[in-house]
Amino acid sequence: MLCRDALQGITPAGAAPAEIRGGHLMVPDSAIREFRQSLRGQLFCPDDSGYDAVRKIPNAMIDRRPAMIARCAGAADVITSVRFAREHELLVSVRGGGHSVAGKSVCDDGLMIDLSGMKGIRVDPIRRTVRAQAGLTLGEFDRETQAFGLSTTLGVVPTTGISGLTLGGGFGNLMAKYGLALDNLIGVDVVTADGQFFTANAEENQDLFWGVRGSSGNLGIVTSLEYRLHEVGPVLGGVVIYPVATTREVLHFCREFAQTLTDDVIIQGGAFTLPDGMAVFGVAACYCGSSLAEGERILQPLRRFGPPVADLIERRTYVQMQSFFEPFFPPGRHTYVKSNFLKSLDDAAIDTIAHWAGEAPSPDSFAPFFEHWHGAVHRVGATETAFPHRQHSWNLIAWSVWSDPADTEKNIRWTRNCWEAMTPFLVPGSYVNYVSDEGDAFAQAAYGPNYDRLALLKNKYDPTNFFRMNHNIKPTPVPTAA
Ligand SMILES: Cc1cc2nc3c(=O)[nH]c(=O)nc-3n(C[C@H](O)[C@H](O)[C@H](O)COP(=O)(O)OP(=O)(O)OC[C@H]3O[C@@H](n4cnc5c(N)ncnc54)[C@H](O)[C@@H]3O)c2cc1C
């Protein structure tokens, strides 16, 4: 029999009476047995072998122990899991690729609905579309679509999950040309909080389709996603590395250089430490256009500026480019992130970034770090999808990473101090996929002007806030009769 402390305080209509002992709700063994047998995938309880491996996510800061983990094999398992959790009033978390820096995909005591075994993918090279199940990682997705010379915008670290990344936004190397990952969605399949299955696209359940694109898992569990694909051939990309002492000059250069960029180019950059201990500031670039000669011309000023410590920009297959940053993000390290868009990359902001560059206590950190947002992402209105941040050009991030748990306090303190110094230059809203656990107000600001409309959708699709292990959108309280 399973004992659970984390009551959700919801009593679904028609729920089977749960046994209550000593103030704790209990799930009877027989119900767990039946649940296990009803799944095509696997159920892991704390005594099952493999449980510890399955509950772990890449961020070592997160060490939570779900009472059960349903590793789903398909949409039917997701529906069964949602209904089981409702019936027994279990707290639910949903795991795609497990890369949420806030650790939202794993809960203590409740049911973790783990989609990471759902890896089906089918490319339609004629229509240039792909239908992908929610458990795929970016690397798996890119490998399949590139077999046809196609791809779409996803992030830059291949172990990240496609679903969490897409439902929150999706910044990546193709973004200036094709928009965010979520701008390339054609439709999704969703299991809502009452265990119903919906298809949402431009024709069906349009309100859900609008909300799914930016609400980061608040409205239901997306079981599969259909994307538009684009022809993507070899790219010109990599990173140019400068001594950290030149950060100020490099950022002034980047500000001017960014004005010259076509939609074929993305740049991002930040302070980090080379394996030999040298503190540096790197600027990564990726040109994805059709003429690599043109790419050479466009990227030349970046490669000439300096002189750099190293120039690692070269022709790569798109899959190689997408794997380029993987070695920098091994699983099992502690990660704490602060991020907001900059009002502008003005001189004072540059001075402050330069002041903090090279000062992070851990050599594994990328902080401060910028992403340059431009092109197609800006050509969609702030309320056209639930993702609101369409006008900002510079996303600033302090991505602190360390290995020894004894260093946690020091690294978090440094990150917060750095952010406090940056605050005068930041807008309140942040990209939801980079939000650590900073409380409700911070999460709310991430949805910006779309929050109220999303709350109405939450009322419709999840009125009991069943899905709340996320950067939460709260259903509005139902007015009581006088
Ligand atoms: C090393 C690293 C590199 C990154 N690089 C990039 C990048 O280049 N570009 C970028 O835009 N972002 C990037 N991110 C941020 C990334 O987009 C988010 O962490 C994203 O949430 C990861 O998705 P996931 O499926 O792996 O995570 P998860 O932790 O599994 O999920 C994240 C959130 O989404 C919910 N969720 C996941 N899947 C579903 C689903 N199918 N249905 C409903 N809800 C779901 C979860 O419950 C959770 O709340 C990076 C993160 C890391 C750690």
Side-chain angles (χ1 to χ4, degrees):
M1 181 167 290
L2 172 82
C3 171
R4 181 183 47 70
D5 289 331
L7 301 186
Q8 276 200 315
I10 54 168
T11 312
E19 199 175 325
I20 297 183
R21 296 255 174 88
H24 301 308
L25 203 66
M26 318 288 280
V27 181
D29 286 343
S30 57
I32 298 173
R33 214 168 25 248
E34 212 177 291
F35 179 41
R36 193 189 291 273
Q37 282 163 1
S38 69
L39 295 173
R40 186 158 66 89
Q42 270 180 291
L43 186 72
F44 293 89
C45 292
D47 291 338
D48 292 332
S49 76
Y51 168 84
D52 266 324
V54 176
R55 78 180 173 87
K56 283 213 173 94
I57 57 169
N59 185 356
M61 290 259 283
I62 310 300
D63 184 23
R64 301 199 185 116
R65 302 183 65 82
M68 284 175 268
I69 302 169
R71 180 159 273 190
C72 298
D77 281 353
V78 174
I79 293 169
T80 303
S81 300
V82 166
R83 290 183 178 161
F84 179 82
R86 282 209 79 97
E87 188 179 336
H88 298 284
E89 298 183 27
L90 292 168
L91 176 65
V92 159
S93 66
V94 180
R95 182 199 156 118
H99 271 52
S100 151
V101 286
K104 295 293 185 186
S105 43
V106 51
C107 57
D108 270 328
D109 301 325
L111 173 65
M112 173 167 153
I113 299 180
D114 178 4
L115 312 175
S116 65
M118 291 169 52
K119 302 275 193 200
I121 178 163
R122 183 176 189 278
V123 178
D124 182 337
I126 306 298
R127 285 176 60 229
R128 294 193 175 174
T129 61
V130 61
R131 170 66 71 173
Q133 277 191 313
L136 286 156
T137 63
L138 313 192
E140 293 160 346
F141 181 103
D142 283 333
R143 185 164 187 275
E144 294 297 325
T145 57
Q146 275 288 283
F148 302 90
L150 300 170
S151 205
T152 199
T153 312
L154 293 172
V156 301
V157 177
T159 48
T160 314
I162 61 163
S163 50
L165 176 126
T166 303
L167 302 179
F171 163 91
N173 283 321
L174 305 181
M175 186 185 70
K177 196 161 187 177
Y178 300 119
L180 295 163
L182 60 75
D183 293 327
N184 288 282
L185 273 183
I186 299 170
V188 286
D189 290 338
V190 188
V191 175
T192 50
D194 53 2
Q196 278 200 74
F197 181 88
F198 288 89
T199 291
N201 54 41
E203 279 84 41
E204 297 166 87
N205 302 302
Q206 291 141 336
D207 60 347
L208 186 57
F209 187 49
W210 177 86
V212 156
R213 288 173 294 163
S215 62
S216 194
N218 264 278
L219 300 179
I221 302 180
V222 169
T223 55
S224 83
L225 308 93
E226 189 178 16
Y227 298 85
R228 247 182 310 281
L229 294 174
H230 315 275
E231 223 173 286
V232 180
V235 298
L236 186 68
V239 63
V240 189
I241 297 171
Y242 309 93
V244 78
T246 63
T247 297
R248 204 168 162 279
E249 291 73 22
V250 173
L251 285 172
H252 277 275
F253 166 79
C254 284
R255 186 173 65 190
E256 301 312 311
F257 183 54
Q259 302 300 317
T260 70
L261 297 180
T262 65
D263 289 356
D264 289 328
V265 183
I266 281 289
I267 59 167
Q268 51 185 318
F272 67 105
T273 309
L274 294 178
D276 65 3
M278 181 181 183
V280 294
F281 195 93
V283 180
C286 178
Y287 168 88
C288 67
S290 54
S291 157
L292 293 192
E294 172 67 357
E296 293 276 2
R297 190 192 63 74
I298 295 174
L299 296 186
Q300 203 175 56
L302 172 68
R303 308 175 74 182
R304 287 247 172 104
F305 175 80
V309 175
D311 173 359
L312 305 178
I313 289 186
E314 58 186 60
R315 178 197 158 109
R316 302 173 195 277
T317 68
Y318 183 65
V319 169
Q320 283 166 345
M321 184 68 226
Q322 289 291 90
S323 312
F324 186 77
F325 296 108
E326 186 173 3
F328 294 101
F329 297 97
R333 289 183 175 167
H334 296 67
T335 306
Y336 180 72
V337 175
K338 282 283 199 183
S339 173
N340 291 79
F341 292 92
L342 281 169
K343 289 174 192 160
S344 73
L345 187 62
D346 61 23
D347 291 354
I350 288 177
D351 285 348
T352 311
I353 296 170
H355 173 80
W356 289 86
E359 297 296 318
S362 167
D364 298 324
S365 291
F366 291 80
F369 189 92
F370 76 80
E371 293 170 346
H372 180 242
W373 290 42
H374 72 117
V377 66
H378 284 172
R379 294 193 285 271
V380 179
T383 58
E384 269 183 66
T385 65
F387 179 90
H389 307 291
R390 300 292 187 168
Q391 72 280 39
H392 306 299
S393 299
W394 302 93
N395 193 19
L396 195 71
I397 306 151
W399 198 279
S400 288
V401 182
W402 63 99
S403 296
D404 187 345
D407 293 337
T408 296
E409 201 261 323
K410 174 170 71 175
N411 279 280
I412 291 182
R413 187 165 12 94
W414 182 87
T415 315
R416 288 187 171 152
N417 289 344
C418 168
W419 225 242
E420 205 178 311
M422 290 309 314
T423 298
F425 312 108
L426 304 172
V427 304
S430 4
Y431 170 28
V432 72
N433 277 352
Y434 294 166
V435 175
S436 287
D437 238 338
E438 304 291 340
D440 285 350
F442 201 89
Q444 191 165 332
Y447 302 106
N450 292 327
Y451 185 86
D452 290 346
R453 187 170 166 194
L454 284 169
L456 293 177
L457 282 178
K458 191 80 174 168
N459 290 351
K460 177 173 173 185
Y461 289 104
D462 184 14
T464 62
N465 209 6
F466 179 78
F467 297 114
R468 60 185 187 184
M469 282 295 292
N470 43 41
H471 295 298
N472 198 224
I473 296 157
K474 307 229 178 296
T476 48
V478 180
T480 48

